[in-house]
């Protein structure tokens, strides 16, 4: 018979039980559930709703359950409907009637929502710290490679010369925004909804602020119906995680390209690659590919919960039990991806010769050739056309712009002079791009120090949480 047997006899069909049960996945919130119940019991004592003796028994019982679960002395009972029922059932088994009192002035509806607030608050910080480490690794690589010239691409066609450091800093910017977003979502996660009860609050003289304070929450949900039925904080977190994955996935795609023989711009440490069961020469970037692949899965988690929530009337509906697997899955996947990407990127080695060789082909200094003429007085559109014709000529002669003799240049414009060769030298093309946020080494250095400052600010912001 179920603990909730009341109007019905509480005897349910085995298939219905299995269908209804969430214990196989919500038991991971056991610590939050127990901590939350301890805070609840303290509040019930403070407000005189329960006696000191009962609360003492409840707290000791709950602490022991937690310890036994952690030590492996107590196994989760798969027959209990969910983690909340399991803990209460175990408590009553251990301390008798006092155990039956812990559920006074609350409902599973506010209990599960509160547990989820606690759980996601904790994981938000875990993921925050992993992204911090990722950024530190990227910044160290950017510093090391701030003067390494490579082709920058648009449409995956060689476009203009850049530095590898600059390229990596672009990812730093993305992950810094991810930290900012996680800090923001944290504020709406760090809210106590316990005391909303089933949906309408309670007639008991509870003290919601005190209970929230015991759990370290910075604020309290102000509408009991919203408290039990809001899953915005879960969706926001999922959406932030989907964005983290999108960023990791774009980087993964580049790593897959850069490690191919066609590019061979970087070498990954063997520890983060795999071989083939048949082709002995293979060194595959499986970690990057899998990260890219898991992105679809995390997007799916976000879509699943958005769809679960879209048609739900207020307040609690059992549909909402479907919130946990997607968010738990997304948290697990993102953490795993970060945990493997951090050391992989840390040990990744750039191959500057190959990057430079690639940068010498593809006429990536053609813009600089046009700029050269423009700076000597030719309107940009005309200069652009002249540079285009010169590229065409080089293609016909199978040479690069740097190799074309000055007399050839002069046939196209008498503005050309000896100084043109310096103007189109790759290092010059890079180091003249000193505009704010540009690829010049001096700018990349600024970029790195600005990013370090921002990382510190975001981390300080997080330390107040
Ligand atoms: N296992 C449920 C969930 O995850 C807990 C809340 C159940 N509440 C209820 N009234 N049936 O949502």
């Amino acid at each position: 018979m179920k603990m909730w047997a009341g109007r019905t006899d509480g005897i349910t069909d085995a298939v219905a039980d299995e269908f209804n049960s969430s214990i196989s996945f919500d038991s991971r919130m056991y610590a939050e559930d127990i901590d939350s119940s301890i805070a609840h019991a303290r509040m019930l004592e403070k407000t005189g709703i329960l006696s000191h003796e009962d609360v003492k028994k409840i707290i000791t019982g709950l602490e022991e359950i937690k310890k036994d679960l952690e030590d492996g002395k107590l196994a989760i009972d798969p027959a209990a409907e969910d983690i909340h029922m399991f803990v209460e059932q175990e408590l009553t088994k251990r301390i008798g009637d006092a155990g039956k009192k812990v559920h006074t002035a609350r409902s599973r509806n506010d209990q599960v929502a509160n547990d989820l607030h606690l759980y996601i608050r904790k994981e938000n910080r875990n993921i925050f710290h992993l992204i911090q480490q990722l950024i530190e690794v990227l910044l160290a690589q950017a510093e090391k490679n701030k003067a390494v010239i490579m082709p920058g691409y648009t449409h995956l066609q060689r476009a203009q010369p850049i530095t590898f450091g600059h390229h990596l800093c672009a990812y730093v910017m993305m992950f810094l925004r991810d930290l900012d977003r996680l800090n923001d979502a944290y504020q709406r996660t760090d809210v106590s909804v316990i005391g909303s009860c089933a949906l309408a609050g309670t007639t008991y003289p509870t003290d919601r602020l005190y209970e929230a304070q015991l759990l370290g929450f910075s604020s309290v949900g102000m509408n009991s119906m919203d408290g039990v039925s809001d899953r915005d904080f879960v969706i926001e977190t999922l959406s932030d995680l989907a964005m983290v994955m999108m960023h990791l996935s774009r980087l993964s795609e580049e790593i897959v390209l850069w490690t191919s023989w066609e590019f061979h711009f970087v070498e990954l440490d063997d520890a983060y690659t795999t071989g083939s069961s048949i082709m002995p020469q293979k060194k595959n970037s499986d970690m990057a590919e899998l990260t890219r692949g898991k992105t679809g899965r995390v997007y799916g988690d976000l879509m699943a919960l958005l769809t679960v929530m879209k048609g739900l009337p207020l307040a609690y509906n059992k549909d909402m039990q479907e919130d946990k697997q997607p968010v738990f899955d997304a948290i697990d996947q993102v953490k795993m991806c970060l945990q493997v990407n951090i050391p992989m990127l840390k040990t990744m080695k750039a191959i500057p010769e190959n990057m430079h060789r690639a940068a010498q082909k593809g006429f990536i200094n053609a813009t600089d050739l046009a700029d050269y003429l423009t700076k000597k007085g030719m309107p940009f559109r005309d200069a652009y056309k002249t540079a285009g014709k010169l590229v065409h000529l080089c293609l016909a002669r199978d040479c690069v712009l740097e190799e074309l003799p000055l007399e050839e240049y002069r046939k196209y414009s008498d503005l050309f002079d000896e100084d043109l060769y310096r103007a189109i030298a790759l290092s010059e093309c890079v180091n003249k791009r000193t505009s704010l946020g540009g690829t010049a080494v001096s700018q990349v250095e600024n970029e790195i120090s600005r990013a370090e400052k921002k990382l510190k600010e975001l981390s300080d912001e997080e330390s107040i949480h």
Side-chain angles (χ1 to χ4, degrees), residues 73-245:
K73 285 194 198 138
L74 173 66
I76 302 271
D77 174 8
E81 191 177 304
D82 54 29
I83 188 62
H84 327 292
M85 287 299 199
F86 170 74
V87 172
E88 191 184 327
Q89 168 194 304
E90 183 63 27
L91 184 67
T92 306
K93 205 186 316 169
R94 294 184 180 207
I95 65 167
D97 276 355
K100 295 186 196 160
K101 297 183 183 172
V102 69
H103 208 53
T104 314
R106 78 173 182 192
S107 142
R108 265 191 301 162
N109 300 349
D110 57 343
Q111 194 182 355
V112 69
N114 218 48
D115 287 2
L116 207 51
H117 274 277
L118 285 169
Y119 185 83
I120 295 181
R121 184 177 73 170
K122 175 181 79 184
E123 292 297 352
N124 175 307
R125 290 303 90 185
N126 288 335
I127 294 172
F128 186 98
H129 292 136
L130 286 168
I131 298 175
Q132 262 180 327
Q133 288 171 43
L134 179 74
I135 292 174
E136 278 159 13
V137 162
L138 288 171
L139 282 173
Q141 286 282 18
E143 174 63 36
K144 200 175 346 164
N145 293 289
K146 64 185 176 194
V148 171
I149 294 175
M150 70 184 281
Y153 295 79
T154 63
H155 313 267
L156 204 57
Q157 302 284 334
R158 291 173 196 172
Q160 289 179 349
I162 54 161
T163 66
F164 190 39
H166 193 50
H167 196 127
L168 292 170
C169 277
Y171 284 98
V172 168
M173 300 298 144
M174 299 177 218
F175 292 118
L176 282 171
R177 290 195 293 272
D178 288 330
L179 291 187
D180 217 352
R181 270 186 283 271
L182 283 170
N183 272 351
D184 195 46
Y186 188 95
Q187 293 175 49
R188 285 169 297 280
T189 306
D190 190 21
V191 178
S192 178
V193 296
I194 196 77
S196 302
C197 302
L199 75 163
T202 181
T203 54
Y204 291 99
T206 52
D207 185 344
R208 291 194 58 211
L209 292 176
Y210 175 70
E211 194 166 346
Q213 196 192 330
L214 289 178
L215 292 168
F217 280 119
S218 355
S219 64
V220 170
M222 283 301 175
N223 179 300
S224 60
M225 294 184 75
D226 182 52
V228 290
S229 62
D230 165 42
R231 292 296 182 271
D232 293 2
F233 68 104
V234 187
I235 296 176
E236 261 186 276
T237 306
L238 272 170
S239 147
D240 292 354
L241 297 186
M243 194 95 85
V244 170
M245 288 304 294

Side-chain angles (χ1 to χ4, degrees), residues 22 26 81-82 84 108-109 112 316 318 320-321 324:
S22 56
D26 65 18
E81 191 177 304
D82 54 29
H84 327 292
R108 265 191 301 162
N109 300 349
V112 69
Y316 178 83
K318 187 75 175 198
M320 286 157 78
Q321 179 165 290
K324 284 165 213 65

